[in-house]
Amino acid sequence: MSRIITVAAAQMGPIQKAEPRSVAVERMVRLMERAHKRGVELVVFPELALTTFFPRHYHQDISEADSWFETSMPSNETAPLFDAARRYGIGFHLGYAEVAHEADETGNVRKRHFNTSILVSPEGDILLKYRKVHLPGHAEYDPKRVVQHLEKRYFEVGNLGFPVIRAPMGGLDGINMGMMICNDRRWPEAWRVLGLQSVELVALGYNTPSLNMEAGGFEAHHLRVFHSHLSIQAGCYQNACFAVATAKAGTEDGAELFGHSIIVNPQGEIVAMASSWDDELITADCDLDMCNLGRTTIFAFDKHRRPEAYGRITGQIGAVAPEVWKKA
Ligand code: CDV
């Protein structure tokens, strides 16, 4: 019997700075209602889905940025999402900014900020939490940039690794599910850590500007989308898994996000793609047995991986210069 789950990427159009969470949540509940009508069993929302992509805004006093963060999940404002999950029998993935009071690596309990995502069951239970590891951007105001990207100012590096959980979802007894957030998708290490836990479905939310502000905007628009898709398609193929990659899209606070949400199969093929820059639901029936081909042949990790040759992957951060050839 094949293992099929119907999934949706619930792309969201822009959320402006002044818009309250209640408006975003209302839009998300509408998307869940539409998903239910289409027989969807798991809905994936974008990164930082409750507010505008606030790391583009500079707060000199960092504590002022706390208004963008959630202190509890669920909360009064996000409860309608959990209610909709129960009402429609749909699981969901949500990206949000999390503030937590917890110990750091030195044992000091303090207020900590993370770019977080959760996977929620159709019963409203939080099955898995992930905190973004690869934080792009910068920590200080950069006068050269037209639009800031201050993730390194507002978030700490995620401290939960790349976890995978096996849990029931839709009509299936168990699916191996993992998450990554936006920039993580560009790092093969992130995919492989999930792959090494037999992930079958990766939920991934993103907010990606149409222009590369670091490069003065010279990177062509179509290459921005291409690199996003290339990374996700390669990650799925090389780790024999599905991905539901969901964007926030359109012009938000005057800055453009490119959208192009996709669902990808373990062959690396795009099986659904968003075409608007607005709230849009794309769906696919994912037969998880498709994961078996890659993981028992080309990417049978137990047979073919050579970790003894991969020492640099974890032993080193930046690239070093190679040895220079000299004529004997
Ligand atoms: N939110 C992100 O992580 N965005 C990055 C941008 C800054 C390049 C991304 O990788 O899409």
Side-chain angles (χ1 to χ4, degrees):
M1 207 174 74
S2 49
R3 296 169 62 232
I4 295 178
I5 179 164
T6 304
V7 299
Q11 178 173 286
M12 295 181 71
I15 302 173
Q16 307 306 333
K17 193 177 179 190
E19 283 184 279
R21 286 165 177 71
S22 55
V23 173
V25 168
E26 223 177 278
R27 283 163 56 184
M28 284 190 258
V29 169
R30 276 204 295 273
L31 284 162
M32 285 172 89
E33 191 183 332
R34 274 162 58 192
H36 171 64
K37 286 185 184 147
R38 292 202 216 161
V40 169
E41 296 163 300
L42 174 64
V43 171
V44 175
F45 291 114
E47 172 191 33
L48 301 177
L50 300 168
T51 64
T52 192
F53 187 70
F54 69 87
R56 73 168 70 87
H57 298 298
Y58 178 69
H59 294 277
Q60 190 169 17
D61 174 0
I62 293 189
S63 67
E64 274 177 17
D66 274 359
S67 60
W68 299 113
F69 285 77
E70 311 306 309
T71 49
S72 61
M73 188 59 66
S75 58
N76 286 344
E77 279 157 320
T78 52
L81 296 172
F82 290 73
D83 293 342
R86 283 184 279 265
R87 185 163 64 249
Y88 300 129
I90 296 182
F92 71 94
H93 159 282
L94 174 72
Y96 65 100
E98 177 194 16
V99 65
H101 291 267
E102 61 177 49
D104 60 21
E105 6 351 280
T106 67
N108 183 23
V109 176
R110 59 180 175 81
K111 197 154 108 179
R112 307 186 66 184
H113 298 79
F114 298 101
N115 185 341
T116 296
S117 59
I118 49 170
L119 200 56
V120 181
S121 76
E123 292 77 35
D125 296 315
I126 296 177
L127 301 171
L128 191 64
K129 180 186 278 193
Y130 167 67
R131 290 168 171 166
K132 187 174 183 177
V133 168
H134 297 100
L135 297 175
H138 46 109
E140 298 303 329
Y141 183 82
D142 181 351
K144 290 195 294 300
R145 292 181 65 118
V146 182
V147 181
Q148 304 295 304
H149 195 109
L150 292 153
E151 286 196 62
K152 282 183 163 48
R153 183 174 187 80
Y154 298 131
F155 303 119
E156 288 185 56
V157 171
N159 58 354
L160 303 175
F162 289 96
V164 173
I165 191 85
R166 184 172 180 83
M169 191 58 76
L172 301 178
D173 290 345
I175 303 181
N176 305 346
M177 294 171 286
M179 291 178 272
M180 53 177 76
I181 302 179
C182 196
N183 191 259
D184 290 322
R185 74 194 185 284
R186 304 182 195 273
W187 298 88
E189 297 89 336
W191 288 96
R192 185 46 50 88
V193 173
L194 294 176
L196 285 168
Q197 297 167 85
S198 309
V199 73
E200 294 174 309
L201 193 141
V202 176
L204 187 178
Y206 64 97
N207 280 276
T208 303
S210 298
L211 291 179
N212 183 344
M213 292 295 164
E214 268 172 287
F218 76 82
E219 195 175 55
H221 182 279
H222 71 281
L223 292 181
R224 298 284 282 173
V225 174
F226 171 66
H227 293 153
S228 175
H229 288 181
L230 177 70
S231 304
I232 299 163
Q233 291 178 258
C236 286
Y237 167 62
Q238 292 168 348
N239 296 281
C241 62
F242 285 87
V244 184
T246 309
K248 184 116 69 60
T251 304
E252 208 179 65
D253 304 339
E256 193 181 280
L257 300 167
F258 66 53
H260 284 81
S261 303
I262 49 174
I263 301 174
V264 176
N265 73 18
Q267 297 287 357
E269 293 171 298
I270 295 175
V271 293
M273 179 161 70
S275 55
S276 77
W277 281 11
D278 212 330
D279 290 5
E280 179 178 348
L281 201 69
I282 57 166
T283 65
D285 294 333
C286 301
D287 180 355
L288 299 177
D289 285 343
M290 270 186 81
C291 302
N292 294 338
L293 180 68
R295 61 187 58 186
T296 54
T297 57
I298 293 260
F299 296 112
F301 294 157
D302 54 338
K303 292 196 184 78
H304 308 305
R305 286 186 77 249
R306 290 286 166 243
E308 69 276 14
Y310 309 151
R312 286 185 190 275
I313 299 281
T314 54
Q316 183 179 322
I317 302 176
V320 294
E323 195 182 325
V324 177
W325 178 81
K326 285 191 201 82
K327 202 170 172 64

